[in-house]
Amino acid sequence: MPPPADIVKVAIEWPGANAQLIEMDQKRPLSSIIREVCDGWSLSGSEQFALRYADGPQLYITEQSRGEIKNGTILRLAISPARAARQLLERIQSHGIDARLEALKELAKLSADPTFATEFINMEGIGTLARLAESGTHFGEMLAFTLTAFLELMDHGIVSWDLISLSFIKQIAAYVNQPMVDVSILQRSLAILESMVLNSHSLYHRVAQEITVGQLIGHLSNQEIQTYAIALINALFLKAPEDRRQEMASTLAQKHLRSIILNHVIRGNRPIKAEMAHQLYVLQVLTFNLLEERMMTKMDPNDQAQRDIIFELRRIAFDGDNDPTGTEKRKAMYTKDYKMLGFTNHVNPAMDFTQTPPGMLALDNMLYLAKVHQDTYIRIVLENSSREDKHECPFGRCAIELTRMLCEILQVGELPNEGCNDYHPMFFTHDRAWEEFFCVCIQLLNKTWKEMRATAEDFNKVMQVVREQITRALAMKPSSLDQLKNKLRGLNYSEILRLRQSERMSQDDFQSPPIIELRERIQPEILELIKQQRLNRLCEGSCFRKLGNRRRQEKFWFCRLSLNHKVLHYGDLDESPQGEVPFELLSDKIPVSDIKSVVTGKDCPHMKEKSALKQNKEVLELAFSVLYDPDETLNFVAPNKYEYCIWTDGLCALLGREMGSDLTRSDLDTLISMEMKLRLLDLENITIPEAPPPVPKEPSSYNFTYNYS
């Protein structure tokens, strides 16, 4: 006979004594159980004790978290969080250096526990640590553990960063500015300053006064602190007022930040880890976002300085270095030239730049091409002006539309995505990477236009092909602009047609009435099969990155469904796992029967609470939450769209609700098409291989055998 559901068998340890094996009744108060355990070892004052996990993070067990204890768990009797906090606070204020160091080591470890952190903070512990750091009398390990504990305690969000004193900021900044500082102290100091900047508008201004970009760039040659330094640069960049960002970008350019990152980070002798990749992505996004102002600026047709840029484009293309007649040319001649340049408005081409995006950014790109790559510019313009009217590629219109497209592809103006690592090394290889990227792409557009033998009516079709060529090439992560050109050469129009045909064949669909009838007949059983596959995938589990973790060490957690589909198990991990994580390592759980609903996007509690940095489109599209009794939530941000669909569909199937994600529709179409083909061919006993036709743009997770008869 199985034990009652409320009884959990655990072992409890105490130093110097044999472990007690008890059956913990979850209906009894925790204080009563602790009293019974203390009596077993003849310990008085049970109110001064608490239970902690013996393995892993060794967190304290509370009335709120006790439901996560599983059979076979090893616990440890320890002094209560309040007593531990009081003792540690006294020890770190003692005069003995050795005793103080041991206390700070233990404090740095315990501070990760939210129960202990609450008690320590309530005793004004953060102020004590701040004063220790401000005193300037602590060095080496003692200071490192002090700063570690401070950062761990502040990371819980129990107290506001705005309470930090100016003297503390100055002291932490001094550690960053000093030439000879221990690496561990420098890492923690940079992390503390980054958190200050990201979490407080007022502290941003104070930190910006104490830390210069030049000082941070000087730390990039040290591989141990590169990630911390770039993270602080990104934070200062992100929180800077609009009028300061361009100034800061100019300083970064003068300090050769790009070339230093290229040589010491991207091309360094160490592999780039996930956190560094994320920081490079953030820097890339923030750099491109400097283009937003020009992208959203309309051209003023009455502004002579802006009109002179258009005159310059015409002069370079048609008049060479000297223009003896200059502005004396007749207006009709200008109109003819503007038509040959491919502007939509031949009489007043300034009107072509009044739509935003891309606004004046398109004109900037065109002028860069004309001046820096003059031969290429002249060749494109003259080559098209010599074609038949119906086959000419309108340079002006193409450049404007291409600029808009590139802004969309690179998401100019969007905030960085919290969990994204999608940086492109080639953008760190040139000081004018955006403009050079445009120059490569405009040549691609002209080449594709010729390959398609396009006419003016085919303009949109050409732009669609060019977008596909660019996105496919970027997905290959070229390391330089030259490598990008090579990738694009391999993605000519014929290759795009071949790839499209191949993908179309893998998801072929039939529309005749008999096929539609067959499709409707087999859809329920295929949908049920997909549900089972989703649930099987949930049983395997997935790793998620902790949202809002601005710390340099990676934080992960893992979640998986029990094999009987009755419990969700989850827990923190020190690093991203390479395979399945055993249930024994996942200390927390939620009974499926307690789940009330699954919400997505902006309805998620953690999306309502996050700052502007995280409130961007990509994070919202990947966010979902499990709401369960009494009023608790388990919050997720999926690593990609595929995992998002797997989990939201699987959870809906678990709750007996209809699935409806785009990925489910794609899976359904693929499997139905496969079965229809087999049934139409009257084949029996067909075994689908382990890797069925892939879902477009996402990997497949199906692994099943199905008998078609």
Side-chain angles (χ1 to χ4, degrees):
M1 180 176 176
D6 293 321
I7 301 298
V8 182
K9 295 182 178 181
V10 298
I12 302 180
E13 299 177 336
W14 175 254
N18 294 327
Q20 295 187 37
L21 303 178
I22 69 169
E23 293 186 351
M24 181 183 288
D25 186 349
Q26 296 286 44
K27 291 182 179 179
R28 289 177 59 193
L30 198 56
S31 58
S32 174
I33 296 172
I34 294 173
R35 186 184 310 114
E36 183 179 298
V37 171
C38 288
D39 291 343
W41 283 315
S42 301
L43 298 173
S44 60
S46 61
E47 67 279 357
Q48 296 294 317
F49 293 92
L51 293 176
R52 293 171 60 185
Y53 288 99
D55 302 317
Q58 300 182 9
L59 299 177
Y60 277 102
I61 295 167
T62 63
E63 290 289 356
Q64 292 72 33
S65 64
R66 63 183 296 182
E68 300 160 3
I69 302 174
K70 294 179 287 190
N71 278 320
T73 300
I74 300 177
L75 304 179
R76 178 176 297 156
L77 185 67
I79 60 174
S80 68
R83 184 179 173 188
R86 191 178 306 107
Q87 289 182 358
L88 284 175
L89 195 58
E90 292 172 356
R91 288 166 59 194
I92 64 176
Q93 292 174 307
S94 68
H95 297 292
I97 295 178
D98 292 339
R100 187 182 299 179
L101 177 59
E102 289 304 314
L104 287 169
K105 284 183 180 179
E106 190 175 346
L107 178 62
K109 182 179 179 181
L110 278 176
S111 294
D113 189 311
T115 306
F116 170 85
T118 302
E119 296 290 346
F120 190 81
I121 290 171
N122 288 340
M123 297 176 185
E124 304 296 330
I126 285 184
T128 301
L129 292 178
R131 286 190 292 274
L132 288 176
E134 290 173 26
S135 67
T137 58
H138 287 63
F139 305 98
E141 275 191 311
M142 192 173 292
L143 179 58
F145 285 119
T146 301
L147 297 180
T148 300
F150 179 87
L151 194 55
E152 289 283 2
L153 292 167
M154 293 299 297
D155 197 43
H156 293 292
I158 299 172
V159 294
S160 171
W161 282 91
D162 286 317
L163 300 176
I164 302 302
S165 68
L166 180 58
S167 58
F168 179 79
I169 298 172
K170 287 180 176 293
Q171 186 60 54
I172 298 299
Y175 295 138
V176 174
N177 296 334
Q178 288 174 11
M180 300 295 292
V181 176
D182 186 77
V183 168
S184 59
I185 296 173
L186 195 50
Q187 288 175 342
R188 289 154 179 79
S189 298
L190 288 167
I192 289 172
L193 292 173
E194 182 203 359
S195 293
M196 288 180 184
V197 171
L198 291 175
N199 289 286
S200 171
H201 179 71
S202 61
L203 290 186
Y204 157 76
H205 293 285
R206 294 180 179 178
V207 173
Q209 291 173 356
E210 302 294 331
I211 297 292
T212 67
V213 172
Q215 291 164 335
L216 295 176
I217 291 177
H219 291 304
L220 293 181
S221 58
N222 187 334
Q223 294 181 333
E224 300 295 331
I225 55 176
Q226 287 172 340
T227 307
Y228 298 84
I230 295 178
L232 181 52
I233 290 173
N234 284 338
L236 290 168
F237 208 155
L238 180 69
K239 293 299 182 177
E242 293 292 336
D243 57 339
R244 281 273 300 145
R245 287 184 188 171
Q246 289 290 351
E247 180 184 336
M248 186 174 176
S250 243
T251 304
L252 292 175
Q254 292 171 8
K255 297 291 184 180
H256 306 292
L257 173 66
R258 178 200 59 77
S259 60
I260 293 173
I261 289 177
L262 181 66
N263 295 324
H264 291 280
V265 180
I266 297 176
R267 294 177 180 172
N269 54 13
R270 284 191 178 187
I272 294 179
K273 296 182 179 179
E275 182 59 29
M276 174 60 85
H278 173 68
Q279 295 301 336
L280 292 176
Y281 154 78
V282 172
L283 182 60
Q284 172 186 292
V285 171
L286 295 176
T287 302
F288 283 145
N289 281 357
L290 295 172
L291 303 169
E292 184 180 13
E293 182 181 356
R294 293 293 284 174
M295 180 183 75
M296 300 307 295
T297 300
K298 297 181 180 181
M299 185 171 186
D300 181 1
N302 299 318
D303 188 321
Q304 187 59 44
Q306 295 179 1
R307 291 170 62 87
D308 286 343
I309 299 176
I310 299 178
F311 293 153
E312 183 69 4
L313 291 175
R314 190 206 63 78
R315 185 195 67 77
I316 294 173
F318 303 115
D319 293 344
D321 294 331
N322 299 308
D323 185 9
T325 55
T327 56
E328 296 177 2
K329 281 193 173 183
R330 291 178 294 110
K331 188 175 181 179
M333 287 296 294
Y334 281 104
T335 300
K336 179 183 176 182
D337 289 347
Y338 292 145
K339 181 179 180 181
M340 293 171 67
L341 277 171
F343 289 112
T344 302
N345 191 319
H346 307 152
V347 177
N348 186 7
M351 300 302 296
D352 287 14
F353 301 95
T354 56
Q355 185 175 358
T356 58
M360 290 294 289
L361 185 59
L363 188 58
D364 295 341
N365 287 341
M366 295 166 70
L367 184 62
Y368 181 87
L369 174 68
K371 287 193 168 185
V372 179
H373 300 278
Q374 192 170 118
D375 292 342
T376 300
Y377 168 69
I378 293 174
R379 176 178 56 79
I380 291 175
V381 173
L382 296 184
E383 185 180 278
N384 285 289
S385 63
S386 62
R387 293 180 188 167
E388 299 178 42
D389 284 350
K390 66 176 184 177
H391 285 294
E392 66 180 10
C393 176
F395 169 74
R397 183 184 177 191
C398 287
I400 293 170
E401 188 58 35
L402 177 63
T403 302
R404 188 199 331 272
M405 180 196 298
L406 297 182
C407 289
E408 292 174 358
I409 292 173
L410 296 177
Q411 298 180 325
V412 175
E414 297 279 343
L415 285 169
N417 178 8
E418 172 69 15
C420 185
N421 300 336
D422 189 25
Y423 81 99
H424 296 281
M426 69 176 185
F427 290 129
F428 291 88
T429 62
H430 201 285
D431 288 331
R432 304 294 294 273
W434 166 264
E435 291 86 349
E436 289 293 323
F437 183 46
F438 168 83
C439 294
V440 171
C441 293
I442 194 69
Q443 294 177 74
L444 168 71
L445 195 159
N446 188 59
K447 175 174 171 285
T448 302
W449 186 284
K450 288 189 289 186
E451 291 173 349
M452 294 178 66
R453 300 181 61 81
T455 63
E457 289 74 20
D458 301 318
F459 184 85
N460 291 332
K461 294 179 182 178
V462 175
M463 296 307 297
Q464 290 172 4
V465 173
V466 171
R467 175 186 283 268
E468 188 170 346
Q469 290 171 312
I470 294 171
T471 53
R472 287 182 184 272
L474 287 176
M476 299 178 194
K477 297 293 182 185
S479 60
S480 66
L481 290 165
D482 287 336
Q483 205 174 95
L484 173 68
K485 295 175 186 177
N486 292 333
K487 302 291 185 187
L488 291 173
R489 274 194 287 270
L491 289 169
N492 55 33
Y493 179 53
S494 299
E495 178 64 11
I496 293 295
L497 289 180
R498 188 193 69 77
L499 291 171
R500 285 180 173 180
Q501 181 66 18
S502 174
E503 292 169 358
R504 193 178 298 118
M505 290 293 291
S506 69
Q507 53 177 322
D508 196 11
D509 199 5
F510 304 98
Q511 298 299 326
S512 62
I515 298 300
I516 293 175
E517 182 181 350
L518 178 58
R519 179 187 181 87
E520 293 174 351
R521 186 181 305 171
I522 66 178
Q523 180 166 328
E525 62 183 276
I526 295 294
L527 187 56
E528 182 60 31
L529 180 61
I530 293 176
K531 287 182 179 181
Q532 292 304 315
Q533 290 299 315
R534 291 288 194 263
L535 292 174
N536 291 343
R537 182 67 181 78
L538 262 62
C539 290
E540 296 174 9
S542 297
C543 180
F544 300 90
R545 187 174 181 268
K546 280 206 167 185
L547 185 66
N549 172 43
R550 302 303 304 169
R551 309 279 292 283
R552 298 288 65 75
Q553 57 267 43
E554 279 290 340
K555 297 287 187 179
F556 300 95
W557 67 288
F558 196 90
C559 187
R560 63 182 298 194
L561 179 66
S562 63
L563 300 180
N564 62 6
H565 297 176
K566 291 186 177 181
V567 179
L568 274 178
H569 296 268
Y570 64 97
D572 293 341
L573 300 175
D574 292 331
E575 57 184 20
S576 181
Q578 299 302 314
E580 286 189 10
V581 176
F583 290 108
E584 295 75 26
L585 298 181
L586 303 176
S587 58
D588 305 314
K589 63 182 179 181
I590 300 173
V592 171
S593 58
D594 288 348
I595 297 178
K596 295 189 288 187
S597 64
V598 177
V599 296
T600 61
K602 62 183 179 180
D603 296 326
C604 298
H606 58 314
M607 290 296 102
K608 296 176 182 177
E609 299 168 359
K610 294 300 174 184
S611 65
L613 173 62
K614 304 171 184 81
Q615 278 284 29
N616 60 73
K617 182 180 178 182
E618 289 189 47
V619 172
L620 284 174
E621 289 178 347
L622 298 176
F624 61 100
S625 297
V626 172
L627 310 184
Y628 61 98
D629 289 332
D631 291 308
E632 302 291 334
T633 64
L634 184 61
N635 299 317
F636 301 74
V637 173
N640 51 53
K641 188 66 174 177
Y642 180 71
E643 288 290 334
Y644 170 84
C645 294
I646 288 288
W647 276 85
T648 52
D649 287 346
L651 290 169
C652 287
L654 195 63
L655 300 178
R657 299 170 187 172
E658 183 180 355
M659 301 186 297
S661 74
D662 294 338
L663 193 53
T664 300
R665 299 303 115 192
S666 300
D667 294 344
L668 191 60
D669 292 342
T670 299
L671 292 176
I672 288 177
S673 297
M674 290 169 59
E675 183 162 351
M676 286 194 300
K677 291 175 186 177
L678 294 172
R679 289 192 177 183
L680 289 170
L681 292 172
D682 197 26
L683 298 177
E684 297 183 353
N685 300 319
I686 297 298
T687 299
I688 296 181
E690 290 190 1
V695 177
K697 298 184 180 178
E698 297 287 353
S700 177
S701 66
Y702 300 117
N703 180 9
F704 57 86
T705 301
Y706 196 74
N707 186 353
Y708 293 97
S709 59

